[in-house]
Amino acid sequence: MAAPGGTSEAHDPQPIHLYQQRFKLHAWIRSRLWAQVMVGMALGFAVGTILSPDIGILDAATAELLGAWLALPGQIFLGLIAMVLVPLIFASIVGGLNGAQSGAELRSTGLRLAGFILATTFAAAWIGVALARWLQPGASVHGLSMSGSAAVPEAGESPFDGAQAPDIIAGILPTNPTASIVQGDLLAVVVLAVLVGIAATQVNRDKVAPFLALLDALLAIAMTIVKWAMFLAPIAVFGLMAQLVMRVGLETVAAMSTYVGTVFLGLALLLVIYLAIAALVAKVTPMRFLKTAGGTLLLAFSTSSSSAVMPMTIQTARRLGVPDATANLVVPLGATMNMAGTALYQSVAILFLAQMAGIELSLGEIAIITATLVASSIGAPGTPGVSIAILLSVAAGFGIPTAGMVIILGVDRILDMSRTAVNVTGDLVASMVLSGRKVRDADGSSPAEP
């Protein structure tokens, strides 16, 4: 009898150990949003691949309908964020401007942020140009039939006519703030917030205190709604990823592998540059940065919207040791104006279109186009699909045929996701560089945390 008992005792610890490991894994995933997002992304990719019309289980119409239902939690998630985005941006920028210690500090922060955005955006655009001229992604599809070009939206008149420049500059001012808020014009909201914030610094502190307290309460309410939305994040990512794969299909990505690979390589180089800046200036190692910001970057990747993850980006900046005032000011401005990843993508795409059409652009023409893309990228709304409209406008303005846009549209969502994650990385790095503070601990704590 002893032997059976001994045998039983020898085998009992194994299932208990496995159960404990499963429990620990479950608890670990539940406590980390980025892990939940990654699981949702992987499951969404798998489900989208299985249900894609390319496999043959569902026809195209049924797959489109099912994909819309799967993406419903994602649409609700994005809607909740969009609902509080305008008050959140306004309150964050005004509060951040009034958190500056002095006018000199405010001017210094603004000038350094402008310099950072211009330098990194120009560098990103020229990285894209260099890779596109080297790898020639458009040469592999040169002469391809464009029978589907009718599906490409019409390009509007180029907004870069020199005669129209004064009207464009004057139009930046939100002469009707209510209309700008209703229309979701984030650039106008940012300009209004900057003007109000600077004006508030010139008013007696006692008079402006109730207004700032109201904005602080508004910011707290908006952040609470954002926290509610984050409960939907893993399910939202699952549905959006499944819909993407079902709609695009793996064959489309494979056919555009050279073009997609060129953009991915450029974005990877830009990411390395950002990580190097963080390591050299803010003394934050790449591993430390990715560990802290991984969840935010994954969410930015899956939603394709730097604006949607802006509240989470602010929280991540604080965990990286950025003071509240700097995070509240730099991140909203960066989410609207810091679009280096978009500039890189557009420079590759514009040369891809030219190569497809057999057009040889001189270095001078490329320089002008690059400057135009940089100008159009800065201030572009941080929402999905905006870069396509900019690309159409710039291409039409410089006489580059846009028939090849039907091919670019097929893989734009995947590239949009990738460049959004890089853009958010740039916002975080900018906030660290401008904060002038360094992360002291390597275990996740920071000077900004209690």
Side-chain angles (χ1 to χ4, degrees):
M1 296 295 293
T7 303
S8 175
E9 290 175 2
H11 284 79
D12 280 344
Q14 183 64 20
I16 293 176
H17 175 71
L18 290 176
Y19 173 79
Q20 290 174 341
Q21 291 302 316
R22 287 196 300 268
F23 178 79
K24 289 179 180 179
L25 177 62
H26 180 68
W28 183 80
I29 291 176
R30 284 179 59 86
S31 64
R32 288 167 171 79
L33 181 63
W34 67 266
Q36 298 175 42
V37 169
M38 183 173 290
V39 171
M41 191 181 304
L43 292 176
F45 184 87
V47 170
T49 301
I50 294 172
L51 299 180
S52 173
D54 296 340
I55 302 299
I57 297 178
L58 300 177
D59 58 70
T62 304
E64 183 69 21
L65 178 61
L66 181 58
W69 279 104
L70 288 174
L72 179 59
Q75 300 302 327
I76 295 174
F77 169 80
L78 294 174
L80 286 172
I81 299 295
M83 183 173 64
V84 298
L85 195 57
V86 169
L88 196 150
I89 289 176
F90 186 85
S92 296
I93 292 177
V94 174
L97 288 170
N98 282 268
Q101 298 298 319
S102 63
E105 179 186 347
L106 192 58
R107 287 191 297 271
S108 174
T109 300
L111 290 174
R112 286 191 295 156
L113 177 60
F116 180 91
I117 291 175
L118 287 173
T120 55
T121 305
F122 266 107
W126 278 104
I127 288 174
V129 167
L131 290 176
R133 285 172 62 86
W134 173 40
L135 298 175
Q136 296 286 315
S140 59
V141 290
H142 174 56
L144 189 66
S145 174
M146 298 300 165
S147 57
S149 59
V152 180
E154 291 287 336
E157 183 180 356
S158 174
F160 304 101
D161 185 357
Q164 298 177 357
D167 293 334
I168 295 172
I169 295 173
I172 294 176
L173 291 175
T175 55
N176 189 343
T178 303
S180 300
I181 292 173
V182 171
Q183 296 169 3
D185 186 351
L186 295 186
L187 181 58
V189 172
V190 166
V191 172
L192 177 64
V194 170
L195 292 176
V196 171
I198 294 176
T201 63
Q202 307 302 310
V203 179
N204 183 277
R205 299 295 294 184
D206 293 335
K207 290 184 177 180
V208 82
F211 174 67
L212 296 178
L214 174 63
L215 290 183
D216 187 56
L218 184 63
L219 182 61
I221 293 171
M223 291 301 295
T224 300
I225 296 177
V226 168
K227 289 179 182 178
W228 294 346
M230 287 304 160
F231 286 110
L232 285 175
I235 303 174
V237 169
F238 165 79
L240 292 172
M241 178 60 73
Q243 183 191 43
L244 169 66
V245 178
M246 291 168 66
R247 179 175 293 173
V248 173
L250 299 178
E251 291 184 3
T252 304
V253 179
M256 293 286 290
S257 57
T258 305
Y259 167 68
V260 172
T262 303
V263 177
F264 279 168
L265 178 59
L267 292 175
L269 290 175
L270 182 57
L271 179 62
V272 169
I273 292 175
Y274 278 140
L275 294 177
I277 293 174
L280 293 175
V281 179
K283 305 303 180 185
V284 178
T285 65
M287 187 63 68
R288 164 82 171 95
F289 179 88
L290 294 175
K291 179 182 177 182
T292 305
T296 302
L297 300 183
L298 280 172
L299 199 58
F301 176 84
S302 56
T303 60
S304 298
S305 175
S306 53
S307 297
V309 298
M310 190 193 72
M312 196 172 177
T313 308
I314 293 174
Q315 297 294 333
T316 303
R318 292 170 178 169
R319 291 199 303 272
L320 287 168
V322 179
D324 287 358
T326 303
N328 290 341
L329 174 63
V330 174
V331 172
L333 290 174
T336 309
M337 300 180 180
N338 189 22
M339 299 291 175
T342 301
L344 186 148
Y345 156 79
Q346 289 175 340
S347 62
V348 174
I350 205 81
L351 289 179
F352 173 79
L353 292 174
Q355 291 165 6
M356 280 190 64
I359 297 176
E360 190 70 31
L361 297 173
S362 67
L363 280 177
E365 292 171 326
I366 292 175
I368 296 174
I369 291 174
T370 301
T372 303
L373 289 174
V374 169
S376 61
S377 297
I378 296 175
T383 51
V386 170
S387 58
I388 288 294
I390 295 174
L391 189 60
L392 279 168
S393 180
V394 174
F398 286 92
I400 297 174
T402 58
M405 285 298 300
V406 69
I407 298 179
I408 290 179
L409 284 171
V411 294
D412 177 68
R413 177 71 178 182
I414 296 174
L415 298 180
D416 199 359
M417 295 162 72
S418 303
R419 62 181 177 264
T420 300
V422 175
N423 286 339
V424 172
T425 302
D427 297 341
L428 289 170
V429 172
S431 66
M432 289 190 295
V433 170
L434 269 63
S435 70
R437 298 175 65 173
K438 302 173 184 178
V439 177
R440 294 179 301 198
D441 302 321
D443 59 354
S445 62
S446 68
E449 293 176 342

